[in-house]
Every structure is written in structure tokens, then in C-alpha cells.
Amino acid sequence: MRGVLFDGKRAEVVDDLVVRDPGPGEVLVAISAAGLCHSDLSVIDGTIPFPAPVVLGHEGAGVVEAVGAGVTHVAPGDHVSLSTLASCGTCAQCGRGRPTMCRKAIGRPERPFSRGGRPVYQFAANSAFAERTVVKAVQAVRVPKDLPMASAALIGCGVLTGVGAVLNRAHVDRGDSVLVIGTGGIGLNVIQGARIAGALRIVAVDANPAKEAVARQFGATDFLTSADGVRELLPTGADHAFECVGRVELIRQAIDLLDRRGQAVLLGVPAATAEASFLVSSLYLDKSILGCRYGSSRPQRDIALYAELYRQGRLLLDELVTATYPVEDFEKAAADAEAGRVARGVLTF
């Protein structure tokens, strides 16, 4: 079986992976398409520490091949979008409707793969860069069969994170002003989440001027190549500022550009040891700094919602897929993503 394996030093496409059968409460999925997210690249460059060897990928969609005992909400032949959230469903956080806070869904990597008889880790409880993967049943969400697989794949991370941060974490309201720093895959979904929420002013900031057209397509009302001009557009500051790059100096800018009662939402992923600074006095006018894991999402609810918004023409998915690559071209896909040449590249099997 083919897949993208990171051995701790380099990532390469191998063809001798084995995945076990699904156990009780699990689903075996044949992957059709998988988005390449910067989180995958962050494992390779060490920004996100993860044990190796590991099969990468965490933003995928495919067809159910088999289900384990007790699985009733999906069946073989169903098209599914996969989430990374292997929540238990029974703890206090899950009971409160906060599966992203489930402690059993964080930092407990399984090893359902093997290579040459040796176990191989699964990344983000998902590993979508493989022809087949085994996930918990709660991670497989049925989607309409008329939804293109490449688009369905992107719901599982970029859309859940970006749109979810707007609707579930920040609770952007009609008439609010929104600042989005970074217009990659996550930033574009923040932009369209703000549009769906009814934000009046959506200011996108990206150092690459070539990204203006797509930012406006997704809903940006203004585009800047530097945050230095934000105050000219929003003299009192933004109601919500989303940092989608993962650089501490941009986190500081997001905080400094808030209006009274404004909130900065941190979505970019800097190094695990990175520290950011801010003026404490700048927060006293009821300003907030919010972390956000996976868009504070409830995937079984949210993926179905976003799929329906797509079918209504209100959520853009096809437009996110700016390049597709056969899995054998992983190195080119990774290079294009690292250089910012694509909003979202998708590997196909």
C-alpha cells in the first residue's frame, strides 16, 4: 500500500505499508483525496514534534471499505470526510459539546500501520496520505456523493478550523469588523466564515500581493500587503483579529490592532517553545486573546453543515483546490505549499 512516510529525517512515498483491519468502533476508509496542510510540513521541519516513523496527512476524504462492530452511522460504500478528532464521546468535555477539549483525543498516537513488520504511527489520528487508513467511527462523517472528493477532503481541517474559529470560537456577529492576517488555506476559510457570519468589513493582510484576487473572491472587502495600513481602514481597530501564520510578531500586531472589547484569535502554529509579548495595559478595555483548537468544532455536526452550505453555493470549496497532485508527486506538492504557490494542494490516490 502506498503512503507518505516520515522517518524522522525525511518524508518519502513508500509502497509497502500495511494497515490493520478495523476493530470495534472503527472504520476502514479508502482515501480518494487528501489536502496538504502546513501542519504536515511542520512535522517534517520539527515545528510540531511527533514520534516517527509516521504516516502523514490529516485532511482527507474517501469511501468506507469496512466497519467494525458497533458502527451504524456509516456503511461500506459511503463517502466520508475525515476529522482528526478522535474524541471519546463520554467524558465531561464531550458531554458539554466540547470534543476538541477531550483529553483522550490529544497526544495519544496510535500505530495501526506497519512496514516490514514494524509498527508505524498515525498522524493526528488520521494519516490521510495513505491509500487506506483506520479511524475511530466518530471521525468519519458521511457527505453527499455529489460532493467532489478533493473538496470534501478540505472540510476536515482547513474549513473546520477557519470557519469554525469564526462561528464557534469568536462568534463573529453581523456588522462586526474582522482582520485576517495570512490568506493561506486557513486564512481564506476565516475570511469566508466572516462573510457567512455577516461581518461588515473584512480586511485581509498578506505580504504576497498575488493573493488579493482570491482573498476578495472568498469575501475580503479590503486587502493590504502590510498590517501598517489597517488603522487607515479601521481607525478604532478591529472587533476580531485572526492570526493565521504562526509568527509571534504577527500575534503582537493582531493584539495591537484590536478595538475596545476586541478579541485576537490565534490559529497559526509557531514553534512549541515560541513566546509572544504584548502590553498588558492594552487589554484592560475588555480585550481578549483566544487560543483555538480545530475551530472549536463538533465535526459530526459541522462537516454536515458545511457540506450543505457548499451545495447552496454559500461556502466555497472547489476554489480552495488550486492544484492536485498524484501521491507520487508529494515532494513537488510540499515545495509548492512551502513557497505559498497554492492555497491548498490536494494529493490524489
Side-chain angles (χ1 to χ4, degrees):
M1 182 181 76
R2 293 173 299 164
V4 179
L5 182 79
F6 176 61
D7 64 5
K9 296 181 179 178
R10 64 184 297 264
E12 63 176 333
V13 179
V14 300
D15 61 6
D16 55 352
L17 287 173
V18 176
V19 65
R20 63 170 172 76
D21 292 333
E26 294 182 334
V27 177
L28 175 67
V29 178
I31 299 295
S32 299
L36 177 55
C37 175
H38 271 85
S39 293
D40 300 303
L41 301 179
S42 293
V43 174
I44 297 172
D45 68 21
T47 302
I48 296 178
F50 205 89
V54 57
V55 177
L56 296 176
H58 65 284
E59 188 179 66
V63 180
V64 175
E65 281 202 349
V67 299
V71 177
T72 59
H73 74 292
V74 293
D78 283 345
H79 289 199
V80 291
S81 177
L82 301 181
S83 86
T84 68
L85 203 58
S87 52
C88 70
T90 59
C91 69
Q93 295 292 351
C94 286
R96 294 187 181 103
R98 303 172 188 163
T100 57
M101 296 296 103
C102 175
R103 285 176 169 80
K104 293 185 178 180
I106 302 174
R108 295 170 182 257
E110 301 286 344
R111 294 192 285 183
F113 301 98
S114 62
R115 186 185 186 212
R118 296 183 178 181
V120 175
Y121 284 102
Q122 183 175 44
F123 178 55
N126 190 306
S127 289
F129 292 170
E131 290 187 85
R132 291 172 181 79
T133 190
V134 170
V135 297
K136 281 191 174 182
V138 71
Q139 296 175 251
V141 184
R142 188 169 60 244
V143 295
K145 291 186 177 180
D146 60 357
L147 179 59
M149 282 293 190
S151 297
L154 301 190
I155 299 178
C157 177
V159 176
L160 279 177
T161 299
V163 178
V166 173
L167 302 182
N168 302 326
R169 186 68 170 125
H171 299 289
V172 172
D173 201 357
R174 294 162 295 178
D176 284 354
S177 60
V178 173
L179 169 64
V180 183
I181 300 176
T183 61
I186 299 299
L188 289 175
N189 279 299
V190 171
I191 290 170
Q192 70 171 335
R195 169 177 52 79
I196 291 169
L200 185 62
R201 201 79 180 265
I202 305 171
V203 180
V205 176
D206 198 292
N208 185 354
K211 292 187 176 182
E212 179 173 1
V214 70
R216 290 187 180 276
Q217 180 183 19
F218 274 71
T221 59
D222 304 273
F223 184 90
L224 299 169
T225 55
S226 168
D228 294 340
V230 171
R231 286 288 182 182
E232 295 180 15
L233 300 174
L234 303 173
T236 63
D239 295 315
H240 312 272
F242 295 83
E243 200 282 337
C244 305
V245 180
R247 288 168 47 186
V248 294
E249 67 272 23
L250 298 181
I251 291 173
R252 173 61 183 266
Q253 285 186 328
I255 296 168
D256 289 345
L257 289 168
L258 293 176
D259 196 356
R260 298 184 178 196
R261 293 186 58 82
Q263 49 189 14
V265 184
L266 311 186
L267 295 176
V269 182
T273 56
E275 297 183 1
S277 65
F278 58 91
L279 293 174
V280 175
S281 60
S282 69
L283 297 186
Y284 287 140
L285 291 173
D286 287 5
K287 299 179 185 181
S288 305
I289 303 171
L290 304 180
C292 184
R293 180 170 190 255
Y294 204 39
S296 301
S297 299
R298 286 183 276 176
Q300 286 290 335
R301 177 200 67 173
D302 291 348
I303 289 176
L305 168 64
Y306 299 151
E308 184 57 32
L309 287 173
Y310 165 82
R311 298 177 84 188
Q312 293 179 11
R314 297 165 63 190
L315 183 83
L316 304 182
L317 290 178
D318 301 340
E319 295 80 359
L320 283 167
V321 184
T322 48
T324 59
Y325 310 81
V327 68
E328 290 80 9
D329 288 346
F330 170 76
E331 288 189 8
K332 183 179 187 307
D336 287 347
E338 192 69 53
R341 288 189 287 266
V342 294
R344 208 54 145 204
V346 175
L347 300 181
T348 58
F349 291 85

